[in-house]
Amino acid sequence: MKNIFFLLVAVVLLSSCSAYQDVLKNDDIKAKYTFADSLYSQGKYKKALKLWEQIVPLYRGRPQAERVSYLYANTFYELGDYYQGGYQFERFVKSFPQSEKREEAAYKSAESYYNRSPRFNLDQGDTYIAMGKLQDFINQYPDSERLDDANAKVQELNQKIERKAYEIAKGYNKIGESRGTFPNAIKAFDNFLLDFPGSKYREDALYWKFNSTYQLALGSVRRRKAERLEDAKEAYNALEKYFPEGKYSEQAAEEVAAVNEALLAMETLN
């Protein structure tokens, strides 16, 4: 009985594959549309895609064009091809501005760009694009039921960019002594604090900016040392102002003591 069952399954599969190949090769647009629609409904997106690719250009200007174009875009989306999915949904929105699917397509387009956003430590070009697309959706559909989700995604992407900026600045600090990048670290932390005033990394950024100015000052030549020591004290004061009992208090206190000692030594020499 098992052998008969497997034989029947094989026959059905071969028949299905044969029917698919026949439809794929013939010129009957209606047959291709029906078969593609059936495959799509069954979640067989890869096979459906090959048929959509053949018939989408042929349905332009026809009554079915809107539906075919939407299913074509959504097939890419379901397959996880967010580059093509985002692009095709954008085309759909522009081509069918009165469609009932317009809002959904606009959101899926923005969401496709969101799904393309890489890990924080990689180039964030796609992340900026995704934020722009999501913000466009928020502005265009302020009453959408998808608004909360869109805002949450924008916040998530912003935090990714925020972390990227922080880690870059921190990286300059870490290699500062060997490669002379403390000035880069100070500038990067200044930019970070300006761009992300409410960041969860604010205390860290203020401390590591101070640490960078502290190390730069102590390693400076005499003619620049006094000025840089004063810069270090200023950076320390900013940290103390906002985080007087923060997680870096003890370490920062030891470092600012070294700064004050260096300033006193310079005054004595003068």
Side-chain angles (χ1 to χ4, degrees), residues 8 28 101 263:
L8 288 172
D28 189 337
K101 291 282 192 179
L263 278 170

Side-chain angles (χ1 to χ4, degrees), residues 1 11 19 58 119 139 157 189 193 207 214-215 248 270:
M1 289 295 291
V11 169
L58 302 174
R119 297 191 306 274
N139 295 340
L157 294 175
F189 280 122
L193 292 164
Y207 169 71
Y214 155 77
Q215 294 197 66
Y248 297 105
N270 291 336

Side-chain angles (χ1 to χ4, degrees), residues 91-104:
R91 288 191 64 183
F92 178 87
V93 169
K94 292 175 182 177
S95 300
F96 306 99
Q98 304 304 317
S99 173
E100 292 181 358
K101 291 282 192 179
R102 188 176 191 275
E103 180 187 325
E104 182 181 343

Side-chain angles (χ1 to χ4, degrees), residues 107 110 114 130-138 150 153-154 157:
Y107 183 73
Y114 160 82
M131 288 178 67
K133 298 294 182 182
L134 284 163
Q135 193 59 55
D136 287 344
F137 177 84
I138 291 166
K153 283 181 167 60
V154 169
L157 294 175

Side-chain angles (χ1 to χ4, degrees), residues 82-94:
Y82 297 117
Y83 282 88
Q84 276 295 326
Y87 171 70
Q88 293 300 334
F89 274 125
E90 275 188 322
R91 288 191 64 183
F92 178 87
V93 169
K94 292 175 182 177

